[in-house]
DNA sequence: ATCTGTCTACCTTCTAGTAGGCAGATCGTC
DNA sequence: GACGATCTGCCTACTAGAAGGTAGACAGAT
């Protein structure tokens, strides 16, 4: 039956939304139970403990990201375009308030107080994004589509920091448009200035 | 008697450390009571509610920041140097683990789920840092000590995002040195390239 | 006959917060 | 200077509710 996976997906989705707004300690099984419409005890059937639930959530979050990256790289050849699509993805999520913040950004902020199993998954997520961005920078440098001023892995970390910092600022001011305001010049700087 | 202010300062200090690691919902009056060595009920004497405590904490955090900024601007004339001192302050705090994360960055991540009184103070903190950095950028542009490629307020937001994004990455990877790795090129870009 | 998903009912621990008492310091008044 | 009144800071003892989690029953599908 697909009811099983349906309910457990609903649980994960509502947990994701709740974490997105208040972090690991900002939600409870009771909160999920209200959203999904089942009893607390039934959630424990799908995810015995809160650690199990969030660990699985972050693991899937990373896997989904990895799948998206594969699709993105298949469809967009130009490296600058790849970075633009990535930035625009977040710009859209923030501006239409559908996913106004990265689950792993919030969990990473709380890292020292997270259960170790969850913390490990969160670190894995950041390592994945970072190493992916590094490959994009390297490729863009070699093929001459990106204008790098530092080593690829440094440019990758700097770009990631800009995206996540911009996300935080947008939330802090309550102004979604701040994200794009910050990202535009960052992307422009990576564009090759064509000499003509 | 100075006992009063001493204890209430100790309470604020321990709350700050606890929030720095796990956010608003990541600590309790019981946690503070253990650190400070007084009973839970005694904390309520100084701060009737958790909202009162954290609101005061964030307010003072901003006021302390404002005072530091005044001193900094009095002692350091060059705008690029000001930005360097600011970045180095955080680099040092992160690397010696004394204040490995900004209290307001953590609270801003949780903003949608914070009590409104606290949320307002957190937004105020970000507005203060942002408008201060904007004045630094403007001054540096006019006096020709900074190399800006966007409007001052955009450069200010971008710099702030880089600092806070780098802070997050350092925490996410568990590698304090990542902060400086990201900040160095960001500061270099703001340096005027002398034509000779 | 077993497995799956849900339920009710319950448990323990933790949460923020309250009531009220008590010791010591401070203060105005005689 | 002595005397009571008030204020301050802390205490013990308590509360109601929320937290994560468990036990066991039951219906329906396999």
């Amino acid at each position: 039956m697909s009811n099983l996976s349906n309910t457990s997906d609903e649980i994960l989705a509502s947990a994701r939304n709740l974490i997105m707004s208040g972090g690991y300690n900002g939600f409870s099984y009771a909160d999920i139970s209200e959203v999904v419409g089942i009893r607390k005890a039934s959630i424990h059937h799908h995810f015995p403990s809160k650690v199990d639930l969030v660990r699985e959530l972050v693991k899937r979050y990373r896997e989904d990201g990895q799948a998206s990256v594969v699709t993105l790289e298949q469809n967009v050849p130009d490296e600058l375009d790849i970075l633009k699509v990535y930035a625009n993805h977040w710009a859209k999520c923030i501006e239409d308030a559908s996913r106004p913040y990265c689950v792993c950004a919030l969990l990473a902020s709380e890292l020292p107080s997270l259960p170790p199993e969850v913390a490990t998954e969160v670190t894995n997520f950041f390592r994945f994004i970072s190493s992916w961005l590094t490959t994009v920078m390297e490729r863009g440098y070699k093929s001459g589509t990106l204008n790098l001023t530092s080593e690829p892995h440094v440019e990758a970390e700097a770009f990631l920091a800009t995206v996540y910092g911009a996300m935080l600022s947008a939330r802090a001011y309550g102004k979604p448009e701040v994200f794009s305001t910050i990202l535009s010049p960052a992307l422009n700087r990576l564009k090759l200035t064509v000499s003509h």
Side-chain angles (χ1 to χ4, degrees), chain A:
Chain A
M1 249 304 183
S2 62
N3 272 13
L4 184 153
S5 50
N6 254 337
T7 306
S8 103
D9 284 356
E10 274 183 63
I11 293 169
L12 286 170
S14 76
R16 194 197 56 211
N17 291 333
L18 288 161
I19 291 179
M20 212 154 47
S21 98
Y24 187 84
N25 293 304
F27 81 100
S28 71
Y29 271 40
D31 296 328
I32 296 175
S33 116
E34 269 182 46
V35 177
V36 177
I38 57 171
R39 298 298 169 141
K40 274 196 320 164
S42 309
I43 304 172
H44 283 283
H45 171 74
H46 296 276
F47 303 98
S49 79
K50 198 179 180 180
V51 171
D52 293 321
L53 169 56
V54 180
R55 195 210 293 120
E56 178 68 20
L57 166 57
V58 177
K59 201 188 107 204
R60 290 214 198 169
Y61 193 77
R62 193 197 67 236
E63 287 166 353
D64 290 352
Q66 286 169 327
S68 301
V69 158
V70 170
T71 311
L72 175 57
E73 302 232 340
Q74 276 168 352
N75 295 323
V76 183
D78 183 274
E79 281 77 19
L80 182 64
D81 287 341
I82 289 178
L83 297 179
K84 279 183 183 170
V85 170
Y86 175 63
N88 281 337
H89 159 74
W90 274 115
K92 202 187 150 240
C93 288
I94 293 167
E95 276 160 38
D96 70 8
S98 59
R99 264 153 220 210
Y101 208 71
C102 173
V103 166
C104 285
L106 224 164
L107 292 175
S109 320
E110 303 173 322
L111 210 76
S113 77
L114 289 184
E117 303 95 316
V118 176
T120 303
E121 284 301 335
V122 172
T123 300
N124 284 345
F125 176 84
F126 272 83
R127 283 209 265 253
F128 145 59
I129 296 284
S130 159
S131 63
W132 167 60
L133 285 176
T134 301
T135 66
V136 174
M137 295 293 178
E138 276 168 352
R139 234 168 42 229
Y141 174 68
K142 282 174 193 156
S143 66
T145 51
L146 287 180
N147 170 42
L148 302 194
T149 46
S150 308
E151 286 178 51
H153 86 272
V154 175
E155 291 279 358
E157 295 299 350
F159 186 73
L160 181 59
T162 303
V163 169
Y164 277 77
M167 209 181 282
L168 181 72
S169 294
R171 170 161 276 197
Y173 304 134
K175 289 185 186 168
E177 68 273 17
V178 168
F179 183 84
S180 297
T181 305
I182 295 171
L183 262 292
S184 291
L187 286 164
N188 272 333
R189 220 175 32 245
L190 289 163
K191 182 159 61 184
L192 279 176
T193 26
V194 186
S195 47
H196 55 107

